[in-house]
Amino acid sequence: MSKQDLGCKFETQIHELLQLTKLTNKNILREKDIKKYSVHITGIDHLIDLDDFCIAIQDKYVHSHKPTNTDIHHFKTCVNDLSKILKKKIYGIYLSILEPTAPAKKSIEYENSLKNNEFNFMHHENKEKLVFELLQFLYSKNIYLYEENDTVMLNENENYLNYLN
């Protein structure tokens, strides 16, 4: 499988996990649907649109290079522009299997010091641990995944791993 195919597969897996929430499809958007707000908002793969805030996720399943300041800047710009359009706070999450460069980390820290939107960089070479970190963040915002019998998947529950294979 090519690197691009692996990235697309990971993006689809994240979207399928997000669909395990009780939110409707109108609340969980993919990049092609997010572009309806503005054609230049291309740095967000998933958007969870709630009444009081949004969660924007960019996922990068790339082994070739660490996320740079340029990569992060594009994501931050898209999140901040979308926040102005929607008039809501956005929690921006950048998922990566590689740790960001030092300048990229500083860029995130600076953006968070402005106290507008909030940015989180989650990285782990182990895909399951990376997704688990994302799920913990969602749980902290009261966004839960549900099993078929409407039971909430708790943090300790690893049923979500089925969606990553």
Side-chain angles (χ1 to χ4, degrees):
M1 194 177 279
S2 74
K3 291 177 183 179
Q4 185 175 10
D5 289 340
L6 284 172
C8 289
K9 181 181 178 186
F10 185 62
E11 187 175 319
T12 297
Q13 290 169 329
I14 295 294
H15 190 72
E16 288 174 357
L17 272 173
L18 296 177
Q19 301 250 314
L20 294 176
T21 67
K22 291 289 186 182
L23 302 172
T24 66
N25 284 339
K26 75 176 188 77
N27 296 102
I28 302 173
L29 305 175
R30 290 192 82 161
E31 183 176 10
K32 65 181 175 53
D33 302 313
I34 299 166
K35 288 181 187 177
K36 72 180 178 188
Y37 295 112
S38 178
V39 292
H40 81 278
I41 299 179
T42 59
I44 300 172
D45 291 327
H46 314 277
L47 181 71
I48 301 172
D49 188 2
L50 302 170
D51 291 336
D52 299 332
F53 64 90
C54 295
I55 297 174
I57 303 168
Q58 173 69 19
D59 41 57
K60 290 293 181 192
Y61 195 75
V62 179
H63 289 90
S64 57
H65 76 278
K66 291 181 170 191
T68 65
N69 200 22
T70 302
D71 300 320
I72 299 301
H73 178 74
H74 179 64
F75 177 62
K76 290 185 321 184
T77 300
C78 291
V79 167
N80 288 332
D81 289 351
L82 186 58
S83 177
K84 289 175 190 167
I85 292 168
L86 297 175
K87 297 179 175 62
K88 294 181 190 179
K89 178 176 183 164
I90 296 181
Y91 294 92
I93 300 173
Y94 198 101
L95 292 176
S96 174
I97 56 174
L98 297 177
E99 183 177 10
T101 62
K105 284 181 187 178
K106 289 227 181 272
S107 175
I108 293 169
E109 290 169 8
Y110 173 75
E111 192 70 35
N112 285 337
S113 74
L114 300 176
K115 302 202 186 294
N116 295 324
N117 296 305
E118 183 180 309
F119 293 88
N120 296 281
F121 197 100
M122 298 177 187
H123 69 91
H124 205 289
E125 288 186 29
N126 180 296
K127 180 171 63 171
E128 289 81 11
K129 290 182 179 179
L130 178 61
V131 171
F132 188 70
E133 190 174 342
L134 170 63
L135 295 181
Q136 286 180 311
F137 179 85
L138 294 176
Y139 286 139
S140 76
K141 300 298 178 201
N142 297 317
I143 300 172
Y144 305 108
L145 304 185
Y146 292 86
E147 298 181 83
E148 287 180 21
N149 62 1
D150 280 350
T151 303
V152 174
M153 286 190 203
L154 301 175
N155 285 349
E156 300 83 36
N157 189 330
E158 294 187 357
N159 286 346
Y160 70 91
L161 292 176
N162 296 330
Y163 293 87
L164 298 179
N165 297 320

